[in-house]
Amino acid sequence: MDNIIVSGTPHVRSRESVQSIMRDVIIALVPATVMGIVFFGMKALLLIAISIASSVFFEYLYQKIMKKTVTIDDLSAVVTGLLLALNLPVGASWWMPIVGSAFAIIIAKQLFGGIGQNFVNPALIARAFLLASYPTAMTTWHVNGVATSTPLAILKTAKDGAELTVGGNLPSLAQVITGQGIGGCIGETCAIALIIGFIYLLARKVISWRIPVVYVAVVFILNAVIGRYGVRMPVYEIFTGGLFLGAIFMATDYTTSPMTPKGQIIYACFCGLITYLIRVYGGYPEGVSYSILISNLAVPLIDRFTVGKIFGALPKTKEAKKA
């Protein structure tokens, strides 16, 4: 009995912390960030720096004003700022990431209680806010200083079975995989860089494969079976736009995604379905941001029906209530 030590909870401890997890996410985003700067130039680096700095500043300012513990060292604000920047077009004005960061940190995160309390992904809701407020600036794409269309925009305008040729009126598959010469947001064009980040997060056990793989698979299957206007290019569809960026780095957010494996699969299927519907039948060429935000709202309901019963709990019956 002398060997028994009584201590307070928690009894199960982990070496992981918010800071270590956020650090891993930042490391995983480095390849996409570097390729974004390579493809879009120093303007991309400027937007990334402004977005990160303003996110950290607004978190510090809010917590100081509200006399809360300053938590900028947990790196969560850095991740929010980086993700927001990677979801911006390179043609965005320098002040746009500042406005977006203020909305993400103060409105979407801190007003709901801070990290772990937000019900939608802060970076994505900030992007949606900017898209609604400045639609032209957020949907104007440049490559080497020249305005261009994204592959999804070309697919969107080619209705009624119009002939589409990869390498002709569409960029080649090699281009959409590498991101070379492709219009889009700073961090979404190079699929290879995003896949490298995905492998790193899996190796570090920061995320599981379920949400990213099922999400992408649903988009692939729907485009293979149904397609758009009679055109079926499932491989091309999954490598274009922000599907990989959203599926790997934003749909997997701990706070806004389901807790159980079954719930994660349901959630990912929902994300994939909405992405496909918006891309093909909606008003925007891209549907990743809105699909994840809508699915975020369904997470409490998904958790309610997929979280297992508490061990030893009585069944919800009249007899159990009387007991």
Side-chain angles (χ1 to χ4, degrees), residues 147-170:
T148 186
S149 297
T150 65
L152 284 176
I154 298 172
L155 288 168
K156 190 73 174 178
T157 55
K159 297 182 179 180
D160 302 323
E163 184 177 356
L164 293 168
T165 56
V166 176
N169 51 1
L170 282 172

Side-chain angles (χ1 to χ4, degrees), residues 255-280:
T255 307
T256 58
S257 61
M259 296 183 289
T260 65
K262 184 190 296 184
Q264 290 170 4
I265 292 173
I266 295 171
Y267 167 79
C269 289
F270 197 38
C271 286
L273 174 62
I274 298 174
T275 296
Y276 170 78
L277 292 175
I278 293 177
R279 281 186 173 188
V280 177

Side-chain angles (χ1 to χ4, degrees), residues 13-316:
R13 303 176 188 273
S14 172
R15 294 181 180 179
E16 292 182 346
S17 64
V18 173
Q19 186 184 69
S20 68
I21 292 171
M22 295 299 165
R23 186 187 303 117
D24 280 334
V25 174
I26 293 170
I27 293 171
L29 283 167
V30 166
T33 303
V34 170
M35 295 311 297
I37 295 170
V38 169
F39 290 144
F40 297 108
M42 296 306 294
K43 175 66 181 299
L45 177 60
L46 177 64
L47 291 175
I48 292 168
I50 292 174
S51 185
I52 292 174
S54 56
S55 291
V56 173
F57 170 75
F58 285 122
E59 181 145 302
Y60 175 84
L61 181 65
Y62 180 89
Q63 290 175 336
K64 272 294 186 181
I65 292 175
M66 300 305 292
K67 297 182 179 179
K68 294 185 175 183
T69 302
V70 176
T71 60
I72 57 173
D73 58 346
D74 67 10
L75 301 179
S76 63
V78 175
V79 170
T80 297
L82 180 55
L83 284 173
L84 174 60
L86 296 182
N87 276 279
L88 293 176
V90 72
S93 299
W94 63 268
W95 50 266
M96 290 180 69
I98 299 177
V99 174
S101 295
F103 189 90
I105 297 298
I106 297 175
I107 305 298
K109 182 180 177 183
Q110 292 299 332
L111 288 183
F112 287 94
I115 187 169
Q117 303 297 318
N118 49 287
F119 66 96
V120 290
N121 185 285
L124 275 184
I125 196 67
R127 182 186 187 278
F129 169 76
L130 290 174
L131 182 59
S133 302
Y134 315 103
T136 302
M138 288 292 291
T139 54
T140 301
W141 318 101
H142 294 85
V143 176
N144 298 323
V146 179
T148 186
S149 297
T150 65
L152 284 176
I154 298 172
L155 288 168
K156 190 73 174 178
T157 55
K159 297 182 179 180
D160 302 323
E163 184 177 356
L164 293 168
T165 56
V166 176
N169 51 1
L170 282 172
S172 69
L173 183 59
Q175 283 182 285
V176 298
I177 293 175
T178 61
Q180 181 66 45
I182 299 296
C185 294
I186 293 171
E188 74 179 20
T189 58
C190 185
I192 293 176
L194 294 166
I195 292 171
I196 291 172
F198 175 52
I199 294 171
Y200 175 81
L201 291 178
L202 285 181
R204 294 287 295 171
K205 298 182 179 179
V206 174
I207 64 173
S208 76
W209 59 269
R210 294 182 189 87
I211 292 175
V213 171
V214 174
Y215 188 170
V216 173
V218 169
V219 175
F220 178 91
I221 292 169
L222 289 172
N223 278 285
V225 175
I226 305 172
R228 61 165 83 214
Y229 310 112
V231 178
R232 295 179 178 84
M233 296 187 294
V235 176
Y236 196 87
E237 290 271 4
I238 64 173
F239 283 107
T240 57
L243 181 59
F244 277 42
L245 178 61
I248 297 167
F249 293 99
M250 289 175 284
T252 55
D253 177 41
Y254 288 174
T255 307
T256 58
S257 61
M259 296 183 289
T260 65
K262 184 190 296 184
Q264 290 170 4
I265 292 173
I266 295 171
Y267 167 79
C269 289
F270 197 38
C271 286
L273 174 62
I274 298 174
T275 296
Y276 170 78
L277 292 175
I278 293 177
R279 281 186 173 188
V280 177
Y281 303 107
Y284 289 106
E286 180 60 281
V288 171
S289 296
Y290 288 113
S291 71
I292 296 174
L293 289 172
I294 294 170
S295 299
N296 286 164
L297 300 178
V299 166
L301 185 63
I302 294 172
D303 278 338
R304 179 179 178 183
F305 290 102
T306 58
V307 172
K309 294 181 180 179
I310 300 173
F311 180 74
L314 294 171
K316 293 183 179 180

